[in-house]
Amino acid sequence: KKDACFVAKMWAAAALQNLAAAYCDSGRCHWEWTKMNKNKRHEIAITNKKIDYNPESLRVSVIRNDKLIKALTRIICDNVKELDKAPSERTWPSRAKVTDAKLTPSVAAWGAIGAIRNLALSPELYDNMPNELQTCLCAHVVRSPDWLENSKAGDAIYRFGLDPRDECEPLYDHDKCLDYKDWKDDEGENCQKYERKRWCAEYRDYAPKNDKKYVTAGEACCACGGGKKQP
């Protein structure tokens, strides 16, 4: 039997995501950085589009609800420990269906991340958010293999006026780990492809049947937890 609580949290967060969004003449608005503010963060603005709906007062009202922001943060941060699990062990939002009988609590995280993403359109969020929120968003940017989670988390940090590539720690120290030289899987894909496509969570332990000498991505690739550690 499904736990209705986390499903309800997912839909509630998704509804808040939509309420806090801005809408332009062609549907979605495209936000870009403008000038740098005094806190060395970029400000954002809509470019080349007419804005039809921009509920700043609603965003500010939600942001000033300390309990709600902490609840969204908790949902996001609780999901960090689930990020390295394969889709057989946790629900990936981009693959989830309402009819799935085995939805896991992690499905609520994408809704919470999306809500933060749109609340971040208000400059007030960055100055009033819990300290751990940006760290937990970064974990989703760097580690989540699910495009819904990592793209929304990256957008949120971008809307803080920060570059996720600069703010988020890399998955591993490239100077202290080397991939196995010339390693490729049985389809000819290398470690760089596994890292770029975020295949590790799903395929790091894959090996062809009856091939006991096969070296897995989990053994060969730094991004998948393997590779050769350097002093």
Side-chain angles (χ1 to χ4, degrees):
K1 185 178 179 180
K2 286 189 288 187
D3 179 355
C5 183
F6 67 78
V7 176
K9 288 179 180 178
M10 176 190 71
W11 288 120
L16 180 57
Q17 173 183 194
N18 291 335
L19 286 171
Y23 296 92
C24 290
D25 53 1
S26 59
R28 295 181 179 180
C29 303
H30 181 66
W31 297 83
E32 292 186 356
W33 282 347
T34 55
K35 63 182 179 180
M36 186 85 75
N37 63 25
K38 63 181 180 180
N39 296 317
K40 295 184 178 181
R41 290 189 290 112
H42 292 273
E43 295 179 2
I44 58 173
I46 296 172
T47 58
N48 301 325
K49 288 186 178 181
K50 177 186 176 183
I51 188 165
D52 296 320
Y53 177 73
N54 190 28
E56 179 62 13
S57 60
L58 181 147
R59 294 189 199 108
V60 171
S61 179
V62 172
I63 291 166
R64 291 178 181 177
N65 185 326
D66 187 57
K67 290 184 178 179
L68 181 52
I69 296 301
K70 286 182 177 179
L72 292 170
T73 300
R74 186 165 58 253
I75 292 170
I76 295 168
C77 291
D78 283 350
N79 194 49
V80 170
K81 63 181 180 295
E82 306 291 317
L83 293 178
D84 296 323
K85 292 183 177 180
S88 60
E89 298 176 297
R90 80 168 182 108
T91 303
W92 288 13
S94 64
R95 301 184 185 183
K97 298 179 181 178
V98 176
T99 54
D100 287 349
K102 295 183 178 180
L103 289 177
T104 61
S106 63
V107 76
W110 79 268
I113 293 170
I116 291 296
R117 169 182 177 266
N118 287 340
L119 291 171
L121 293 173
S122 171
E124 189 156 334
L125 177 61
Y126 186 83
D127 296 324
N128 293 279
M129 67 183 185
N131 292 332
E132 65 271 26
L133 177 55
Q134 184 173 324
T135 300
C136 294
L137 288 170
C138 273
H140 285 79
V141 171
V142 173
R143 290 171 47 199
S144 177
D146 188 273
W147 69 267
L148 263 179
E149 288 179 335
N150 63 55
S151 63
K152 287 180 182 289
D155 283 350
I157 294 171
Y158 182 89
R159 291 176 178 184
F160 291 157
L162 303 170
D163 190 333
R165 294 169 297 182
D166 297 331
E167 299 299 318
C168 300
E169 292 291 332
L171 189 60
Y172 64 94
D173 189 335
H174 289 70
D175 293 329
K176 294 186 178 180
C177 184
L178 295 176
D179 297 326
Y180 283 15
K181 186 178 180 181
D182 299 326
W183 178 86
K184 291 183 179 180
D185 67 12
D186 62 331
E187 295 185 358
E189 306 293 0
N190 60 22
C191 288
Q192 290 75 25
K193 188 74 170 284
Y194 270 69
E195 181 173 4
R196 187 170 67 255
K197 293 291 186 179
R198 303 188 183 214
W199 285 342
C200 292
E202 193 163 8
Y203 299 117
R204 65 181 162 222
D205 297 322
Y206 166 78
K209 291 182 179 179
N210 302 320
D211 188 347
K212 295 182 179 180
K213 295 183 179 181
Y214 185 83
V215 177
T216 67
E219 298 172 281
C221 305
C222 295
C224 300
K228 297 179 180 178
K229 304 300 185 289
Q230 302 297 303

